[in-house]
Amino acid sequence: MAHRLEQVLGRFLTAWIDGVGRRRGGVLALAVAATAAVGFYAATTLGFNTETTDMIDESLPFRQAAKAYDRAFPQFSDNLVVVVEGDTPGLAEDGAEALARGLEDQPGVFETVYRPGGDPFFTRNGLLYLDLDALGELADNLAGVQPLIGKLVEDTSLRGLFTILEEAVDNVTDGEAAEFDLVDAFDRLSDAVEAALGGRRHHLSWHEVISGETASIDERRRFIVLQARRDFTSLAPDEASIEAVRALARELALVPENGVRVRLTGSVALSHDQLTAAGRGAALAAPVAFILVGLVLFLGLRSVRLVAAALVTLSIGLVWTAGFAALAVGELNLISITFAVLFIGLGVAFSIHMCLRYRELVDSGRPHADALATAGRDVGGALFLCAATTAAGFYVFIPTDYAGVSELGLIAGTGMFISLFANYTVLPALLSLWPLASPARPGGNPGGGQAAGGLLGLPTRRRNAVRVVAAVLAAGSVALVPLARFDFNPLNLHDQTAESVTTLRDLLRESERSPWSLNVLVDDVAAAEDLAARLESLDEVDSTLTISDYVPDEQDEKLALIEEMALFMGPPPVADRALPPPSDAERRAALDSFAAALDAWLAGGAIEPALEASARRLAANFERLADKAADTLNGLERSLLGTFPERLRQLFAALGAEEPVTLDDLPRALVERYVAADGRVRVEVFSRDDLTDNEVLRRFVGAVRTVAPGAVGSPVSLLESGDAVVGAFRQALLSALAVVLALLLLLMRRLADVALVAAPILLAAALTVAASVVLDIPFNFANVIVLPLLFGTGVDSAIHFVHRHRIDASFRTSPLRTSTARAVVFSGLTTICGFGSLALSTHRGTATMGELLTIGICFMVICTLIVLPALLKEDQGPARGS
């Protein structure tokens, strides 16, 4: 039955290809016209969707829960997070305030602009949010620096600062106690002078002067949360909003040279950077793959005509496949965009087998028409089976929950049949248009010399040895399979040098509260407080946050302490009482006067050692400063006192707090981020440990779900997306294996042949998984398609080998000397060139896809050329001459 089907298909292909050859002009004219029309349709219709969450089936429960949460709190969707970092808290605060005001003036670009803690409410009531002990320590330190601050209010300049310090030195010289810590003042001043003399940026932190504590990294950071207007019809839907932030930051001089750094992260920035990396990788991979494939074709086919015919056929098939993608899905995602590279690597293999068999027949003395028709008969059936099994490797992803590869499966799988059709029509027409001439002396030895011949005969001469080695490798690989792992953290797939990634990793590592939190919705405030208490009892939970936490505790005691602080600080400064800015001469005179007083004091001796060391250091710095230009003093003034007026304003505003804060007093923008429009209340839950560790993340989500099963947020999305992809991978892997084996059994009709085809595939797959373990290349959201794809693509070479073995008696004695073996090698090389080019991408997901596919195809070629010939029997099956 199988033999009769093969004969029918062979006769049909012989007649079809002969007809195409005779009507080559009309066939090519139709192909060119169709390509032009389809290409125009694809160029004007095919769009891009860069929303990564859309790559997971939205009907899954966790996606539905996330969508419900987004409806309750739409302000958390599509966030662009601006991180403003300053050398001092004051620089960060002033920079964030200026940047937020400027962004609010661009409603066409940003829907909402929210600055956490930036509302005047927090300036006025900020001291109430300190612990009572911390507020007491602040009061003690503020009392110590009050004399310095109080006098600087009237003259905020170097003149005023040097005058105050000179008075302090005079008082100490007269035997009086200093009103403030001179060691601290001298050391801070020396730091600033040394930076000015060395050309380094330096800014005095008045936050540290007032609080008496070194500012933490969290205190030197401010955030602006933006909701940008996104255009998903564009390949770069967020470019306008991102560039708007960066342009405004440059305009406001918020740059590292001025002590401020502005960085972007959040879902929008991560998506943009991921798209940029993936797009850049795909844009590089496609032409690189095309060029490398062309070079391999030339080495393998050794004919410009054959190479040109193969490349034209490949290009036409690629355009037709792009047209199908436009019709079937309408838009590409971050994974399906790789279909072009996959098509180049796989589609050209069909042309290689056809062209090499055609050349082999021509070199043997056959005339063109006979050689072309015979080549179509000999390899056409195998090409059909290869297209079917390769397509099956892609199609198995269609019914999975992983929509990202589901679309790739549909496009690339159908592309295999499109490529097959192009090789049945366009390629024979081109070969008829550019036929090869028969050689003067037919025949030849394509296998090479005696040394090469000995090597090529090894698999058939040493069958048992090859089988033993293969069995050992199979056993070792299977033992490593359980060690393979899946990395469900998509952050690891991004370009690790991208700003959004480095910023998020810094926040995850350094912030007191992780930006990856869980959220739970409850009916009211009382329920939120109760749930928060139960969650905080979990070992995995560090803290929770609800709207109730924004009502400070112990307010009566704090207000009393704030009142005392306001009394000893005195009334707020009045602008018309401040002295006018000094001239350059006045700054220089103040410096000289203070330096002279300092020298005289040091000459008097009997100074406490620590104070003397600080004073001598400062005096030495003043000597170096004496001959510097006025610009140096101006810069020194800015570094010491540039942020002082605003810090003073905020301090006196905070000292004006008089009434306790209630829920009703909280800013509306804050309340709306914790209380939904329908009255439900959000409970935010923070992990105790680092969530970049996948096992920690899994434990955190599991623990919270024991108390709040409906929790949503980034940790849940990461975990559930990973589980969905792993499930899709298992489903696709089993489906690919089942479908490929079923197709082989249906079309080959011999169980022994099916086993022979499957053996090298299974061995290569096991070796690929083992390599992923040894090389520490975990499976991820992108490269998860590798194994199912190997089952679909790797079977092609084995099919050609087994098929040729059954129909050609001469093949059985030296299979590696034939055009089929050469086709396997060169089709493998072209596939490696196509897949390997993906490894050039800076997007780690795309790069590891290329790496594992390259490794897998290498193993597949080796297993086909070495292991399969050792399994084949010399007297197997019926045959006909070549």
Side-chain angles (χ1 to χ4, degrees):
M1 180 66 178
H3 188 55
R4 287 200 300 272
L5 286 174
E6 185 177 332
Q7 289 179 329
V8 171
L9 182 59
R11 286 195 296 269
F12 169 77
L13 289 175
T14 300
W16 173 272
I17 290 175
D18 180 65
V20 168
R22 285 187 285 105
R23 297 173 178 81
R24 55 188 175 273
V27 170
L28 291 175
L30 284 174
V32 170
T35 302
V38 172
F40 176 79
Y41 173 75
T44 56
T45 305
L46 191 60
F48 301 91
N49 182 354
T50 55
E51 182 55 67
T52 54
T53 56
D54 289 344
M55 292 195 295
I56 302 295
D57 187 354
E58 64 178 12
S59 66
L60 292 176
F62 85 95
R63 286 291 311 277
Q64 291 296 308
K67 285 183 175 293
Y69 175 78
D70 289 342
R71 287 192 296 271
F73 293 98
Q75 60 269 50
F76 294 129
S77 301
D78 299 334
N79 282 167
L80 176 61
V81 179
V82 184
V83 183
V84 182
E85 298 166 316
D87 288 351
T88 69
L91 287 172
E93 177 68 22
D94 294 346
E97 174 63 24
L99 190 59
R101 285 199 306 269
L103 295 174
E104 287 172 349
D105 293 334
Q106 302 184 49
V109 181
F110 304 104
E111 293 185 14
T112 61
V113 178
Y114 177 72
R115 190 161 79 88
D119 192 278
F121 167 86
F122 290 103
T123 303
R124 185 173 61 254
N125 297 289
L127 295 179
L128 291 173
Y129 289 92
L130 295 176
D131 291 337
L132 188 58
D133 290 342
L135 185 60
E137 292 173 2
L138 173 63
D140 293 339
N141 192 75
L142 192 58
V145 298
Q146 186 278 333
L148 174 63
I149 293 176
K151 293 177 181 178
L152 271 178
V153 167
E154 298 180 359
D155 188 0
T156 308
S157 68
L158 280 185
R159 178 186 61 196
L161 178 61
F162 290 155
T163 300
I164 294 168
L165 293 175
E166 182 179 351
E167 290 176 358
V169 167
D170 290 341
N171 291 338
V172 173
T173 302
D174 293 339
E176 299 179 15
E179 293 182 308
F180 50 87
D181 187 347
L182 286 180
V183 173
D184 182 67
F186 288 172
D187 286 345
R188 291 183 184 275
L189 182 53
S190 285
D191 290 341
V193 173
E194 288 168 1
L197 292 171
R200 305 187 309 273
R201 77 169 189 261
H202 178 83
H203 298 276
L204 176 61
S205 173
W206 285 97
H207 170 92
E208 295 181 356
V209 172
I210 293 171
S211 67
E213 297 180 353
T214 301
S216 67
I217 185 63
D218 279 341
E219 290 173 320
R220 292 188 286 109
R221 278 193 181 123
R222 297 294 185 272
F223 299 92
I224 305 172
V225 182
L226 307 171
Q227 270 196 312
R229 300 186 185 277
R230 311 180 74 186
D231 178 14
F232 285 115
T233 63
S234 167
L235 185 58
D238 306 304
E239 187 171 2
S241 58
I242 288 173
E243 182 52 36
V245 175
R246 289 178 173 155
L248 182 58
R250 289 191 297 268
E251 180 183 330
L252 296 173
L254 301 178
V255 293
E257 291 78 9
N258 294 328
V260 182
R261 180 169 63 160
V262 175
R263 296 194 288 170
L264 304 179
T265 189
S267 60
V268 166
L270 287 166
S271 175
H272 176 77
D273 285 344
Q274 179 175 219
L275 173 64
T276 300
R280 188 168 54 238
L284 176 64
V288 167
F290 199 86
I291 292 170
L292 292 177
V293 164
L295 292 175
V296 172
L297 283 174
F298 186 78
L299 291 174
L301 301 179
R302 294 173 293 162
S303 166
V304 174
R305 294 183 180 187
L306 293 181
V307 171
L311 290 179
V312 170
T313 302
L314 179 66
S315 301
I316 288 175
L318 181 59
V319 173
W320 291 354
T321 303
F324 171 77
L327 178 66
V329 300
E331 57 186 20
L332 301 176
N333 57 54
L334 289 170
I335 292 180
S336 61
I337 197 175
T338 61
F339 86 90
V341 175
L342 297 178
F343 183 91
I344 292 171
L346 296 171
V348 75
F350 297 162
S351 299
I352 289 175
H353 282 279
M354 180 75 82
C355 288
L356 278 177
R357 183 56 176 154
Y358 166 70
R359 176 166 193 136
E360 185 180 45
L361 292 168
V362 170
D363 287 348
S364 70
R366 299 280 189 94
H368 160 73
D370 183 38
L372 184 61
T374 303
R377 182 198 67 197
D378 288 352
V379 303
L383 290 182
F384 175 81
L385 184 54
C386 290
T389 54
T390 304
F394 284 112
Y395 282 156
V396 292
F397 277 103
I398 295 177
T400 68
D401 293 329
Y402 194 10
V405 294
S406 175
E407 293 178 4
L408 175 63
L410 176 62
I411 297 168
T414 305
M416 294 301 96
F417 289 114
I418 292 173
S419 178
L420 179 68
F421 180 73
N423 278 274
Y424 280 167
T425 54
V426 178
L427 182 61
L430 289 171
L431 292 178
S432 297
L433 185 66
W434 305 321
L436 292 181
S438 298
R441 297 175 58 187
N445 180 18
Q450 291 183 351
L455 183 62
L456 295 177
L458 181 63
T460 52
R461 290 199 318 271
R462 305 291 185 185
R463 295 178 188 273
N464 290 335
V466 171
R467 292 170 182 173
V468 170
V469 172
V472 171
L473 289 174
S477 299
V478 170
L480 290 176
V481 167
L483 301 179
R485 62 189 179 90
F486 182 85
D487 183 2
F488 58 78
N489 186 347
L491 192 62
N492 295 333
L493 307 188
H494 291 240
D495 177 1
Q496 296 303 297
T497 64
E499 180 186 78
S500 60
V501 176
T502 59
T503 304
L504 180 55
R505 288 199 180 279
D506 286 346
L507 296 178
L508 288 167
R509 183 179 63 255
E510 299 168 350
S511 296
E512 183 179 345
R513 284 176 171 165
S514 171
W516 283 352
S517 60
L518 289 177
N519 296 283
V520 186
L521 297 184
V522 295
D523 292 336
D524 51 39
V525 172
E529 293 173 351
D530 176 68
L531 177 62
R534 287 186 285 130
L535 288 169
E536 289 184 351
S537 67
L538 299 173
D539 292 339
E540 294 79 4
V541 173
D542 177 70
S543 61
T544 61
L545 197 58
T546 72
I547 191 63
S548 299
D549 292 310
Y550 287 92
V551 178
D553 55 6
E554 302 179 299
Q555 292 194 65
D556 290 338
E557 295 88 340
K558 292 177 182 178
L559 286 170
L561 192 53
I562 291 171
E563 184 178 5
E564 292 179 16
M565 295 164 65
L567 287 175
F568 65 68
M569 284 300 298
V574 179
D576 58 10
R577 291 174 53 188
L579 295 176
S583 63
D584 292 341
E586 289 175 319
R587 290 190 186 90
R588 177 66 65 180
L591 170 61
D592 293 343
S593 178
F594 175 38
L598 190 62
D599 289 340
W601 178 47
L602 288 170
I607 304 174
E608 189 272 327
L611 179 57
E612 181 179 5
S614 296
R616 291 194 181 280
R617 176 191 173 199
L618 183 59
N621 284 323
F622 279 169
E623 288 181 10
R624 298 170 58 203
L625 193 62
D627 59 348
K628 298 299 180 182
D631 286 345
T632 303
L633 286 183
N634 292 338
L636 180 61
E637 183 174 277
R638 287 191 299 271
S639 74
L640 288 169
L641 300 166
T643 62
F644 178 74
E646 181 60 20
R647 302 293 76 72
L648 195 65
R649 183 195 68 79
Q650 292 181 347
L651 173 62
F652 278 99
L655 293 177
E658 297 177 347
E659 298 292 334
V661 171
T662 67
L663 282 176
D664 294 336
D665 298 323
L666 298 177
R668 178 180 176 183
L670 173 65
V671 174
E672 289 176 347
R673 301 181 85 80
Y674 285 90
V675 182
D678 60 7
R680 286 181 296 168
V681 178
R682 178 170 73 100
V683 179
E684 194 169 9
V685 191
F686 299 93
S687 172
R688 186 181 303 279
D689 300 310
D690 181 10
L691 292 183
T692 58
D693 184 319
N694 290 343
E695 290 306 313
V696 170
L697 186 146
R698 186 178 291 276
R699 288 197 302 270
F700 173 58
V701 172
V704 171
R705 280 179 160 178
T706 61
V707 177
V712 298
S714 293
V716 168
S717 296
L718 293 176
L719 186 61
E720 292 285 3
S721 295
D723 290 345
V725 172
V726 169
F729 165 74
R730 290 172 178 162
Q731 177 183 339
L733 185 60
L734 294 175
S735 299
L737 184 59
V739 170
V740 167
L741 292 178
L743 280 172
L744 289 174
L745 189 59
L746 176 66
L747 297 175
M748 301 186 81
R749 299 297 181 99
R750 295 184 181 190
L751 190 59
D753 286 353
V754 172
L756 287 170
V757 170
I761 303 172
L762 295 174
L763 177 57
L767 288 169
T768 302
V769 176
S772 76
V773 174
V774 173
L775 300 176
D776 193 25
I777 306 176
F779 291 96
N780 54 51
F781 285 89
N783 66 29
V784 73
I785 70 171
V786 167
L787 286 184
L789 190 56
L790 280 179
F791 281 120
T793 61
V795 73
D796 295 0
S797 297
I799 288 173
H800 284 290
F801 250 70
V802 174
H803 178 75
R804 182 79 181 270
H805 184 268
R806 284 201 291 113
I807 68 171
D808 190 346
S810 64
F811 178 87
R812 299 171 187 170
T813 56
S814 54
L816 298 189
R817 293 173 176 270
T818 64
S819 64
T820 300
R822 294 196 302 277
V824 169
V825 171
F826 287 108
S827 63
L829 287 176
T830 56
T831 304
I832 289 170
C833 289
F835 293 163
S837 64
L838 293 172
L840 300 175
S841 176
T842 56
H843 184 271
R844 285 302 302 157
T846 304
T848 56
M849 182 197 301
E851 291 166 4
L852 282 181
L853 281 171
T854 299
I855 292 170
I857 295 299
C858 286
F859 282 137
M860 197 68 69
V861 171
I862 292 171
C863 291
T864 302
L865 294 178
I866 305 299
V867 178
L868 183 55
L871 298 177
L872 292 169
K873 297 179 181 179
E874 291 192 26
D875 59 347
Q876 184 175 355
R880 63 170 182 268
S882 61

